């Protein structure tokens, strides 16, 4: 009986979500890491061991995030780790078509996306002029100082780093380790990236501290987001939050709460496996659906 009640409550929420997708022509999407996890970009378990078993054995961490924060002794080992991390999470396609399903729901809609760092929206066919990578992009380097506001595409050098470790890169983007399985955990020193202006080591263009570079392109995308909100400030907006946690709630979650409260005809929809809290102020115009994002979208 309890399970039947849960299913009925779930279906009520789904029906409200379906109705909103039909009736609301303006949709602001806020995407977190949970959306990419649903699409198959998992950061632990089998996928982690497939590409980082040697690092796990040597250092004892068990997921990609932990490995990204490890204090490696040399830049050669640091970039051996990060080149694998960047390639599989930025230049390979997501295993499941969750982003493509989401794009199909945006047909004939006025939408804008505040997104995470793995470029999945653009690869799935979303209009790049409707995307704001507020937290950065795995595909970009910047000066670690930084001495300037420039960012640098990294695909070519990342591929060279992988080849230097012993991988083959197939036409479909797959990585094939050497037959003996022995991958190098270091890259050659000549492949370590340095800033062309000041000579300091490069770093990832990811918002971690006050060194994060916001260049002209970043500010232009931010301006397009503001313009979108100004043009659609008359209510009847669907704020669709997908896989966003509470690590940085001031980027998406709290602004979505605030904007939902501005008009009684706005609706906030959150799909996640956790972090489903909403303030009382918007409880009557909030739909929180607990579950895998891809599975929820398949039921639309």
């Amino acid at each position: 009986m309890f399970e039947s009640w849960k299913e009925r409550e779930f279906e009520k929420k789904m029906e409200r979500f379906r109705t909103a997708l039909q009736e609301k022509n303006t949709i602001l999407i806020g995407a977190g890491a949970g959306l990419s996890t649903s699409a198959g970009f998992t950061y632990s378990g089998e996928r982690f061991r497939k590409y980082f078993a040697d690092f796990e054995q040597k250092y004892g961490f068990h997921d990609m995030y932990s490995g990204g924060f490890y204090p490696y002794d040399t830049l050669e080992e640091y970039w051996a780790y990060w080149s694998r991390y960047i390639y599989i999470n930025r230049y390979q396609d997501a295993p499941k078509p969750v982003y493509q399903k989401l794009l199909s729901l945006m047909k004939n809609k006025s939408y804008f996306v505040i997104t995470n760092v793995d470029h999945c929206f653009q690869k799935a066919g979303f209009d790049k002029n409707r995307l704001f990578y507020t937290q950065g992009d795995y595909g970009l380097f910047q000066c670690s100082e930084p001495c300037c506001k420039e960012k640098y595409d990294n695909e070519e050098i990342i591929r060279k780093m992988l080849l230097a470790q012993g991988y083959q890169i197939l036409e479909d983007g797959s990585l094939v380790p050497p037959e003996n399985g022995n991958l190098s955990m270091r890259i050659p020193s000549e492949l370590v990236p340095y800033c062309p202006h000041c000579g300091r080591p490069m770093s990832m263009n990811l918002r971690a501290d006050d060194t994060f570079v916001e260049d002209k392109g970043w500010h232009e995308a931010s301006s397009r987001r503001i313009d979108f909100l100004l043009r659609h400030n008359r209510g009847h907006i669907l704020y669709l939050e997908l896989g966003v946690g509470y690590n940085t709630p001031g980027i998406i979650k709290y602004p979505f709460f605030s904007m939902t409260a501005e008009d009684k005809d706005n609706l906030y929809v959150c799909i996640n496996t956790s972090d489903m809290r909403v303030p009382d102020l918007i409880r009557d115009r909030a739909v929180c659906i607990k579950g895998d994002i891809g599975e929820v979208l398949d039921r639309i």
Side-chain angles (χ1 to χ4, degrees):
M1 182 178 293
F2 180 70
E3 288 299 321
S4 297
W5 176 84
K6 285 179 62 177
E7 182 60 32
R8 287 197 300 271
E9 290 300 306
F10 180 86
E11 189 52 41
K12 286 180 183 178
K13 294 178 180 180
M14 287 295 299
E15 189 57 35
R16 198 173 177 193
F17 181 29
R18 292 187 192 102
T19 300
L21 287 172
Q22 292 172 358
E23 295 180 348
K24 297 188 185 300
N25 292 318
T26 302
I27 302 176
L28 181 61
I29 299 172
L35 178 57
S36 290
T37 299
S38 176
F41 275 177
T42 53
Y43 283 67
S44 59
E46 181 181 349
R47 187 167 180 262
F48 167 74
R49 290 187 293 273
K50 179 178 179 180
Y51 296 105
F52 300 101
D54 48 356
F55 281 89
E56 181 180 33
Q57 182 177 4
K58 182 174 181 179
Y59 292 111
F61 51 73
H62 306 293
D63 64 85
M64 296 184 207
Y65 283 123
S66 300
F69 287 102
Y70 192 89
Y72 300 102
D73 290 334
T74 67
L75 288 172
E76 287 80 1
E77 195 164 15
Y78 172 89
W79 284 113
Y81 180 86
W82 268 98
S83 60
R84 300 185 199 180
Y85 186 118
I86 294 165
Y87 185 80
I88 65 172
N89 293 308
R90 171 61 171 80
Y91 295 113
Q92 288 187 339
D93 292 332
K96 302 176 184 178
V98 176
Y99 285 87
Q100 289 81 355
K101 175 63 177 180
L102 181 61
L103 178 61
S104 71
L105 298 176
M106 296 301 108
K107 186 177 181 181
N108 299 322
K109 303 289 186 182
S110 179
Y111 71 84
F112 196 88
V113 182
I114 303 171
T115 180
N116 48 8
V117 297
D118 54 26
H119 215 64
C120 284
F121 279 95
Q122 195 163 330
K123 287 190 291 185
F126 282 78
D127 182 351
K128 66 179 182 181
N129 291 315
R130 302 190 195 187
L131 304 175
F132 179 32
Y133 295 90
T134 180
Q135 300 289 68
D137 186 336
Y138 283 150
L140 298 172
F141 287 161
Q142 65 168 69
C143 175
S144 58
E145 179 64 18
C147 69
C148 60
K149 294 294 184 181
E150 291 187 37
K151 295 186 291 193
Y152 309 88
D153 291 334
N154 63 25
E155 183 174 10
E156 181 178 356
I157 187 66
I158 291 298
R159 286 175 171 267
K160 289 180 179 179
M161 291 179 186
L162 292 169
L163 294 173
Q165 292 173 68
Y167 278 111
Q168 295 182 57
I169 304 176
L170 303 184
E171 288 187 7
D172 65 358
S174 300
L175 292 181
V176 179
E179 290 185 4
N180 61 12
N182 293 329
L183 289 163
S184 175
M185 296 174 64
R186 298 169 58 90
I187 65 166
S189 297
E190 60 267 23
L191 291 182
V192 173
Y194 292 95
C195 176
H197 297 290
C198 71
R200 292 183 177 88
M202 290 287 205
S203 64
M204 294 300 303
N205 180 235
L206 302 175
R207 188 185 298 277
D209 53 33
D210 60 4
T211 65
F212 178 69
V213 167
E214 299 174 356
D215 67 354
K216 180 181 178 182
W218 188 96
H219 285 286
E220 288 176 346
S222 180
S223 295
R224 289 193 293 270
R225 173 202 54 174
I226 294 170
D227 179 66
F228 177 87
L229 293 172
L230 290 174
R231 286 187 290 109
H232 300 285
N233 63 351
R234 299 177 299 279
H236 297 281
I237 299 173
L238 171 59
Y239 295 96
L240 180 56
E241 182 193 291
L242 302 170
V244 177
Y246 273 91
N247 285 338
T248 54
I251 300 296
I252 294 174
K253 191 174 285 290
Y254 290 167
F256 275 29
F257 291 165
S258 178
M259 290 185 289
T260 301
E262 291 175 358
D263 192 285
K264 63 180 179 60
D265 292 317
N266 291 338
L267 184 68
Y268 167 82
V269 174
C270 170
I271 308 174
N272 209 336
T273 56
S274 60
D275 294 329
M276 308 294 282
R277 294 164 285 169
V278 296
D280 291 338
L281 182 63
I282 66 166
R283 195 166 298 280
D284 64 334
R285 65 194 84 164
V287 179
C288 295
I289 302 173
K290 187 174 183 179
D292 177 85
I293 298 168
E295 293 176 2
V296 170
L297 296 182
D298 283 340
R299 294 180 64 165
I300 295 297

